[in-house]
Every structure is written in structure tokens, then in C-alpha cells.
Amino acid sequence: AQRVTQPEKLLSVFKGAPVELKCNYSYSGSPELFWYVQYSRQRLQLLLRHISRESIKGFTADLNKGETSFHLKKPFAQEEDSAMYYCALKNFGNEKLTFGTGTRLTIIP
Amino acid sequence: NAGVMQNPRHLVRRRGQEARLRCSPMKGHSHVYWYRQLPEEGLKFMVYLQKENIIDESGMPKERFSAEFPKEGPSILRIQQVVRGDSAAYFCASSPPQLGYNEQFFGPGTRLTVL
């Protein structure tokens, strides 16, 4: 069965410091991986997906199939990055998303 | 485009009552997904519907839960004879009718509390 693990429930980082939110997955096929973000009082929204290989709001994530990881990184944290972050996985050819339990990121001014 | 709409935002029911949660997808979207989030957990897939069809209900509990997406009107997630364990946030998402991966746009959720 597919599974997404986010080992950190809470993560606090000083403004300007690097950020790394960890995500590991288990899946036997070829997954598609995503990061979703939920800012305070806003709805869940897509931040980035591995197939697009783009940087959004300074965040990047590289799919490492050997380590089955999709960690989210940003070199310099900003206060507006404080939010709840969810890693998610989708089967190729299937539309449903499997989410991790989320990491609450707090940026300390 | 107003985005995915869900109502009510908060719903309180007593044990044994019925709960009806509504989801209006974004304009032009014909695919709807329902997810449930229990406290301290991630969102869990429940059901995927297209207009008038259930495509994947592998995440739906076998009893008391049903979902529909009629030709006209919103998608409805119905929970009969609610129990305390049904207390959760229920999220709806929608995506456009295209082949391949389409981004799912999420609604604000309905928080169900069962007394």
C-alpha cells in the first residue's frame, strides 16, 4: 500500500535560515509527488509537483527514488513561509491523492 | 471564479442524525473528490466522482456513507446515523475534465462535530 511519511509535526526556523521539510514515501510503482501548503485561514493549495521541476516561492523539491524521498527545501526562510505543509503522492493513472500528516512550519523573526 | 465552495462550514449533529455536506466545484470542473481529515492526521481520500458517476469509492466506509454528484447541483456527501468517530474536517476538491494529471483545487472544508 502507498504511504507518505512526514516525520516532523512541528518545525521552527529562524528567518533567513535554510528550510528543509522531510517527506518519505512507500510505493512500488512510479509515483507522482506533490507539496501542498495551507496558510493561516486559507484553503489547501498546490505548492509544487515533481514533474514540473520548478521553483515556487523559492521552494524546490527533488524526487529521490533511491531514498524514496521528496524533501522540500528553501535556502532562506521568510516570515510568510509560516504555514502547514503536506506532502502527497498520486498513482500514475489514478486520481486520488495520499497525504502525509503534515508539518507545521513556523518562521521565527 | 469563486473557487470550490463547501457548505456548511461548520455542522453539529447529535449521534444518530444525518449529516449532508455540499460541494460546488469550480466553474468548468466536472471531477470532484472528497477527503476526510481526522484530528492529528493527514487528509484521507474517500471518493472520486464525475457527473452522475462514482469513479473510485475505495476510501469510503462500507456503511452509512454515500456520495453523489448529480447532473445539476452540487456534490453531496451524506453520512447517516452519525457517530462520534465521524467528527472530522471534510474537504472537497475539484479538477477540470481533461486527461492526465489535473491539479485538484480544494474547498475550505466542512468541520463536522458529532455530540
Side-chain angles (χ1 to χ4, degrees):
Chain A
Q2 60 200 52
R3 189 169 186 167
V4 176
T5 303
Q6 293 180 251
E8 303 139 328
K9 272 193 171 181
L10 304 169
L11 182 64
S12 295
V13 172
F14 283 101
K15 179 181 171 181
V19 176
E20 183 179 46
L21 289 88
K22 291 186 168 51
C23 172
N24 288 89
Y25 66 91
S26 60
Y27 180 63
S28 57
S30 295
E32 296 181 58
L33 274 295
F34 310 89
W35 276 99
Y36 279 80
V37 61
Q38 188 171 25
Y39 301 103
S40 178
R41 298 192 195 87
Q42 294 187 28
R43 56 189 68 189
L44 196 64
Q45 57 186 281
L46 179 66
L47 180 63
L48 53 79
R49 49 187 174 180
H50 89 272
I51 57 172
S52 59
R53 293 180 170 272
E54 54 190 349
S55 172
I56 304 292
K57 298 184 179 182
F59 284 98
T60 59
D62 291 319
L63 179 61
N64 186 324
K65 290 188 177 180
E67 295 183 358
T68 59
S69 68
F70 188 57
H71 303 325
L72 184 67
K73 298 177 184 178
K74 184 170 182 176
F76 307 104
Q78 298 171 287
E79 287 185 62
E80 54 265 33
D81 295 330
S82 292
M84 193 75 183
Y85 291 80
Y86 293 95
C87 184
L89 175 156
K90 188 175 91 72
N91 297 353
F92 181 78
N94 190 317
E95 298 303 311
K96 68 182 180 186
L97 291 166
T98 298
F99 285 87
T101 50
T103 298
R104 182 170 297 283
L105 175 65
T106 301
I107 306 303
I108 304 165
Chain B
N1 200 328
V4 178
M5 306 296 287
Q6 288 188 251
N7 67 81
R9 294 292 308 277
H10 300 275
L11 182 61
V12 179
R13 286 287 177 265
R14 296 190 182 280
R15 280 178 296 171
Q17 291 184 320
E18 179 180 285
R20 280 187 182 235
L21 288 65
R22 293 174 185 76
C23 169
S24 297
M26 288 179 68
K27 188 176 181 180
H29 287 191
S30 58
H31 297 195
V32 165
Y33 315 81
W34 285 95
Y35 294 85
R36 176 167 66 173
Q37 186 177 31
L38 296 170
E40 305 297 318
E41 295 187 15
L43 282 74
K44 286 193 166 39
F45 170 80
M46 298 182 76
V47 62
Y48 162 37
L49 309 103
Q50 295 178 16
K51 284 283 187 182
E52 299 185 281
N53 285 306
I54 297 175
I55 306 302
D56 182 351
E57 56 181 348
S58 58
M60 287 281 269
K62 293 284 184 278
E63 297 177 349
R64 302 188 296 107
F65 285 71
S66 62
E68 62 177 9
F69 188 18
K71 189 176 180 181
E72 301 290 338
S75 175
I76 307 284
L77 180 67
R78 183 181 177 209
I79 312 172
Q80 295 178 288
Q81 298 175 311
V82 296
V83 300
R84 289 229 172 98
D86 297 332
S87 295
Y90 292 82
F91 291 93
C92 169
S94 73
S95 67
Q98 296 164 1
L99 294 177
Y101 170 72
N102 293 295
E103 179 180 345
Q104 293 181 21
F105 293 83
F106 282 81
T110 294
R111 188 162 298 278
L112 172 66
T113 301
V114 179
L115 301 177

